Amino acid sequence: EDQVTQSPEALRLQEGESSSLNCSYTVSGLRGLFWYRQDPGKGPEFLFTLYSAGEEKEKERLKATLTKKESFLHITAPKPEDSATYLCAVQQGGANSKLTFGKGITLSVRP
Amino acid sequence: NAGVMQNPRHLVRRRGQEARLRCSPMKGHSHVYWYRQLPEEGLKFMVYLQKENIIDESGMPKERFSAEFPKEGPSILRIQQVVRGDSAAYFCASSPSAGERFFGPGTRLTVL
């Protein structure tokens, strides 16, 4: 049973067309929810950590939000360079416990 | 401050050989995590180590796989008698303590 589900699996946007990526989770006792960006052939690049429902974090065109059941990664006016796979992961238990990842959302932004 | 280093970046082995993957964490980081990524799948946790200790190996296959993080030197993920199903990208991540995990560029293992 998947603990972390990301949707849609793939998303194609026109440059400037804002949208949201969804990450829903079913774990209890969430300690933190992480967002990463991964480019082809590279390692995941850290974006955000959210710790409590209602928390929001922003970085350039990206904003991450968290509720008790899901997280959204909002992309405002995306550019072609935002094309990548976006991964979310949840953490339960202790401060250094493992992350459980979803399968990712592949975003393509057309110029 | 250099990021997480992994080598080799690409590794080709024949069935039955051994594969050794190395991970040097970021300076000052004492926590290392190994993950495996198969095509079209998410990252799967394998093992979490601190210096000289395995903390959580719940994601490690029971046979052929082992990991260490010695007092000096990089963390090593060792796969004995590789099979084709071991072909994947292996990533390590490091963290100083709680919170952010920083990933390396990965080692892409191909088993012929």
Side-chain angles (χ1 to χ4, degrees):
Chain A
E1 181 181 338
D2 288 346
Q3 295 180 304
V4 184
T5 304
Q6 293 189 248
S7 61
E9 289 186 10
L11 182 62
R12 297 186 68 183
L13 299 174
Q14 196 69 35
E15 184 172 3
E17 179 187 2
S18 301
S19 188
S20 296
L21 312 181
N22 177 262
C23 173
S24 63
Y25 59 92
T26 57
V27 300
S28 58
L30 179 76
R31 183 179 185 90
L33 187 139
F34 295 68
W35 281 99
Y36 286 84
R37 168 192 171 130
Q38 187 175 25
D39 292 295
K42 297 191 175 181
E45 175 189 344
F46 173 79
L47 293 175
F48 305 108
T49 308
L50 302 168
Y51 292 103
S52 57
E55 188 176 1
E56 298 183 353
K57 288 191 176 176
E58 287 188 67
K59 179 181 179 181
E60 297 180 353
R61 294 178 293 282
L62 300 176
K63 183 170 82 171
T65 61
L66 180 66
T67 72
K68 290 186 177 180
K69 294 182 179 180
E70 58 192 348
S71 176
F72 289 95
L73 184 65
H74 305 278
I75 303 178
T76 302
K79 298 182 178 182
E81 53 262 41
D82 295 322
S83 298
T85 296
Y86 290 85
L87 306 171
C88 85
V90 297
Q91 183 187 26
Q92 298 169 276
N96 297 302
S97 57
K98 66 184 181 186
L99 302 185
T100 301
F101 282 83
K103 292 185 178 181
I105 297 171
T106 301
L107 174 66
S108 298
V109 182
R110 302 189 300 274
Chain B
N1 186 13
V4 178
M5 308 288 284
Q6 289 188 250
N7 66 81
R9 296 292 311 278
H10 300 274
L11 183 61
V12 179
R13 286 288 179 266
R14 296 191 180 277
R15 281 179 296 169
Q17 292 184 319
E18 179 180 288
R20 281 187 172 231
L21 289 62
R22 297 175 189 79
C23 170
S24 296
M26 291 177 69
K27 187 176 180 180
H29 289 194
S30 59
H31 303 263
V32 167
Y33 306 80
W34 285 93
Y35 287 81
R36 176 164 60 178
Q37 187 173 44
L38 293 166
E40 310 304 322
E41 292 192 18
L43 287 156
K44 300 295 184 185
F45 169 78
M46 299 181 75
V47 62
Y48 160 38
L49 310 100
Q50 291 185 32
K51 284 288 187 180
E52 300 185 276
N53 290 300
I54 296 174
I55 308 301
D56 180 359
E57 56 181 350
S58 58
M60 284 279 271
K62 293 287 185 279
E63 298 179 351
R64 304 189 295 108
F65 285 73
S66 62
E68 63 178 15
F69 189 16
K71 188 176 181 181
E72 301 291 337
S75 175
I76 306 285
L77 180 67
R78 182 182 178 203
I79 311 172
Q80 295 179 291
Q81 299 176 315
V82 295
V83 300
R84 289 217 173 106
D86 296 333
S87 295
Y90 292 83
F91 293 95
C92 81
S94 72
S95 70
S97 57
E100 300 166 2
R101 315 283 164 89
F102 297 92
F103 280 81
T107 294
R108 277 141 190 90
L109 172 65
T110 302
V111 180
L112 302 177

